[in-house]
Amino acid sequence: MKKSLLALAACAMLSGSANAAVYLIGDPAGVWSPQTGIEMQEADGGWKWTGTVADGQWFAFATQLLDSDDWATFNSSCRLNPEANGTVADAGSFPLELGGADRAFKGSGSEVTYFVKETDGAYTLTVTENAALPPMYVIGQIDGNEWSPMVGVKMKTVNGGWEWSGFIGEADYFGFATQLMDEYDWDTFNANYRLSPSEEYVEPVAAPGEYALRFGTPEGAFHGYDSNVKLFVQEVDGKYTLTVTEEKVENPWPDDAVWGVVGEFNEWGGAPDFTMTQIRPGVWKATMYDFSGSFKFRANENWDYNFGGASLNSDDGYLIDADGVFDIASNGSNFVIADEVEEVIFELDLNTMTLSVDGLTPTFLALRGNFVDWAFEWSYLFNEVDDGIYSLYLDGVDSDWEFKISDQDWTEFYTTGVSDMVAGEMYPLIERDGPNMGVDRAYSEVTMILNVDDEWFSFYGEVADSVARTEIESGNARYFNMQGVEVNNPSDGIFIRIVNGKSEKITVK
């Protein structure tokens, strides 16, 4: 209590002193600490700091630094915060609250000047963009936008030029513009405001490197590199240049972030998001039922960190009408599943910035092997007889067959890895890239059973007549008809065969 009173007294004295100081604390200082901050310069009756605070960085201000890691005293007595946590410190004025709050600003990514002033005990932050450059926009399909002279993403003014960072899908096309229009007038826009690759009609890949830009009447465009990149445009003596740098972006969201599905199904957050399950680092999975409509993914039921489609393919966003893998982008377009599906599986991979969707395209499983040159043949299609249980009937299976069970595209396939399986045995499934399956002899009237839930395979059948006939002719076995009468030369019927004291039922044709 004594330390808190002393700190309060010190802060009170500083606020009225000609030698008072204000510090920028948080990420720009390298660490969040009551002991560490960047001292702002006294100027114009307040305190100034000029620099760039990245989009993912957080900060606040302080009237004093402490000599210990005493957050309680620091927050309540010396810390200056925005009225709302997460306020982006873009150009403008913001009232500051002294004490009693644990809130912070977020950086804008632009080169700015922060000016803090105290008047009658009230503190105000004024943020001013430094560069006197005119605006510059990225136009096209970046950030899920459409090609329009009226739509673009404003670039940051940094280091005497304009900068934008983010993910650009390979199918995304884009250019630049010095001004957006208030009407859909491509002729005026292209002739006066649009910057494109220097070679007319060429659409180069925006891979890391430097590119000359052509101003006025261009029709060309860049297309994406399928990566996180930084685009930097600079003008020197009327000539514009684009520099592309690949960025290895660290995840800006909290380490303990929990991802969920949000969309029309829960009134875009009117009800709780559908919580996903982390199946491995950076990969989250959700299985949803009776699902349709627009949706996105976000962390901790908050829009600070959200992902949608990296591009648009419909007026409503990115329409998904079949299983596949789709690029995602921060603040991207809405994903859309138009028709209700009984079950859909989402796998959000934040390592590769992709979304895998399964459940929209019917999956068919067939027996594939050397007997059909490993092709997918509908005559060898399994039928689903129960949830996760599949069955296939065949007239016969030869002993030289090698086979696996697979869907049309080899994205889902199964094997036991056993090349001499015996009828009536249950064999566990192994890794799908394991050895092929096979049987120990030829069988007729075969029924195969695949259980994908319990992960086993089995088959039932009669020893084929070719094998039985060879054994009959060799005289190594005894045969009895179904009435128990021994038969020396069995044919055209079902018999019991006994070899070395073991019996089994066979069919001889």
Side-chain angles (χ1 to χ4, degrees):
M1 183 65 179
K2 182 179 179 182
K3 182 174 179 64
S4 297
L5 290 173
L6 288 173
L8 283 167
C11 288
M13 287 190 292
L14 281 170
S15 64
S17 169
N19 297 319
V22 170
Y23 300 88
L24 181 67
I25 61 169
D27 291 338
V31 62
W32 276 97
S33 170
Q35 305 176 69
T36 304
I38 301 172
E39 186 171 0
M40 303 176 72
Q41 300 298 312
E42 288 190 63
D44 302 326
W47 299 268
K48 281 186 177 181
W49 179 85
T50 297
T52 300
V53 181
D55 291 339
Q57 291 190 321
W58 294 70
F59 67 95
F61 301 92
T63 57
Q64 179 184 342
L65 298 179
L66 300 182
D67 57 5
S68 67
D69 205 33
D70 182 1
W71 275 109
T73 299
F74 185 69
N75 283 345
S76 63
S77 306
C78 305
R79 180 169 166 177
L80 292 160
N81 304 288
E83 289 188 323
N85 189 42
T87 299
V88 177
D90 216 337
S93 293
F94 307 88
L96 299 177
E97 179 182 308
L98 176 61
D102 189 5
R103 299 191 292 264
F105 288 97
K106 291 173 65 177
S108 66
S110 290
E111 187 175 298
V112 295
T113 293
Y114 296 145
F115 178 65
V116 175
K117 189 170 184 177
E118 181 267 331
T119 305
D120 297 330
Y123 289 83
T124 303
L125 166 68
T126 301
V127 182
T128 307
E129 287 195 19
N130 288 335
L133 293 172
M136 179 71 72
Y137 303 88
V138 188
I139 61 168
Q141 295 167 306
I142 244 174
D143 266 4
N145 289 322
E146 61 177 325
W147 274 104
S148 168
M150 306 165 68
V151 178
V153 180
K154 188 177 180 181
M155 303 177 74
K156 306 292 184 182
T157 52
V158 177
N159 299 327
W162 301 270
E163 182 179 283
W164 178 89
S165 295
F167 180 84
I168 311 178
E170 186 177 359
D172 292 344
Y173 284 79
F174 66 95
F176 302 92
T178 57
Q179 179 179 323
L180 298 179
M181 305 191 68
D182 56 7
E183 59 182 336
Y184 207 76
D185 182 357
W186 273 110
D187 291 337
T188 301
F189 184 71
N190 285 343
N192 298 293
Y193 309 120
R194 181 170 167 181
L195 287 161
S196 294
S198 59
E199 295 184 39
E200 198 167 2
Y201 307 119
V202 173
E203 297 173 338
V205 178
E210 190 172 287
Y211 305 86
L213 298 178
R214 184 172 183 268
F215 184 75
T217 64
E219 293 292 340
F222 292 95
H223 70 84
Y225 182 56
D226 220 10
S227 179
N228 286 294
V229 295
K230 179 171 68 178
L231 307 179
F232 179 70
V233 175
Q234 192 167 33
E235 181 268 330
V236 178
D237 297 331
K239 295 182 178 180
Y240 291 83
T241 303
L242 166 66
T243 302
V244 181
T245 306
E246 187 169 16
E247 291 197 314
K248 301 299 183 183
V249 180
E250 295 294 332
N251 297 338
W253 50 86
D255 291 338
D256 59 352
V258 176
W259 290 85
V261 189
V262 61
E264 288 185 84
F265 72 94
N266 72 335
E267 299 177 350
W268 290 104
D273 294 358
F274 188 92
T275 303
M276 307 181 78
T277 301
Q278 185 170 218
I279 57 176
R280 55 185 180 276
V283 182
W284 295 75
K285 186 174 183 179
T287 301
M288 305 189 71
Y289 301 93
D290 301 324
F291 186 85
S292 65
S294 302
F295 62 97
K296 296 180 76 172
F297 303 89
R298 63 178 184 171
N300 299 335
E301 298 195 345
N302 189 293
W303 288 106
D304 286 348
Y305 306 106
N306 71 88
F307 286 104
S311 60
L312 287 164
N313 67 357
S314 75
D315 292 339
D316 298 323
Y318 195 96
L319 179 64
I320 299 176
D321 56 8
D323 294 345
V325 179
F326 308 92
D327 293 326
I328 61 173
S330 178
N331 299 307
S333 60
N334 294 339
F335 285 115
V336 181
I337 294 177
D339 299 323
E340 185 174 293
V341 290
E342 182 178 342
E343 176 183 288
V344 62
I345 300 172
F346 299 130
E347 193 169 296
L348 183 70
D349 192 330
L350 302 177
N351 303 312
T352 61
M353 295 291 285
T354 57
L355 169 67
S356 298
V357 179
D358 187 21
L360 305 186
T361 304
T363 299
F364 298 103
L365 296 176
L367 193 70
R368 304 175 70 165
N370 58 356
F371 52 93
V372 288
D373 292 329
W374 296 96
F376 186 94
E377 298 285 353
W378 292 102
S379 56
Y380 291 95
L381 188 69
F382 278 76
N383 294 313
E384 188 169 14
V385 295
D386 202 349
D387 289 342
I389 301 177
Y390 298 81
S391 174
L392 170 64
Y393 174 81
L394 297 172
D395 289 335
V397 176
D398 287 336
S399 59
D400 60 352
W401 281 18
E402 296 182 14
F403 54 89
K404 288 181 177 178
I405 301 168
S406 164
D407 63 3
Q408 302 96 305
D409 301 319
W410 285 105
T411 56
E412 183 178 349
F413 53 97
Y414 304 93
T415 183
T416 66
V418 179
S419 61
D420 57 352
M421 293 184 294
V422 177
E425 298 289 337
M426 292 175 59
Y427 296 90
L429 300 176
I430 63 171
E431 293 295 329
R432 62 183 192 174
D433 57 353
N436 299 327
M437 294 184 278
V439 296
D440 67 327
R441 64 186 66 189
Y443 290 89
S444 63
E445 299 182 24
V446 172
T447 298
M448 293 185 171
I449 304 294
L450 172 69
N451 189 321
V452 298
D453 290 339
D454 295 331
E455 299 185 343
W456 56 262
F457 171 84
S458 185
F459 75 96
Y460 302 89
E462 305 291 342
V463 176
D465 60 336
S466 57
V467 174
R469 177 58 57 191
T470 300
E471 292 178 342
I472 291 169
E473 293 173 353
S474 67
N476 293 327
R478 299 179 64 190
Y479 301 91
F480 297 83
N481 62 22
M482 301 308 294
Q483 290 74 41
V485 178
E486 186 170 3
V487 180
N488 293 325
N489 190 21
S491 63
D492 298 328
I494 299 174
F495 301 87
I496 303 298
R497 183 190 64 171
I498 299 177
V499 179
N500 297 326
K502 294 183 179 180
S503 63
E504 62 180 331
K505 184 170 65 175
I506 65 169
T507 299
V508 181
K509 297 180 179 179

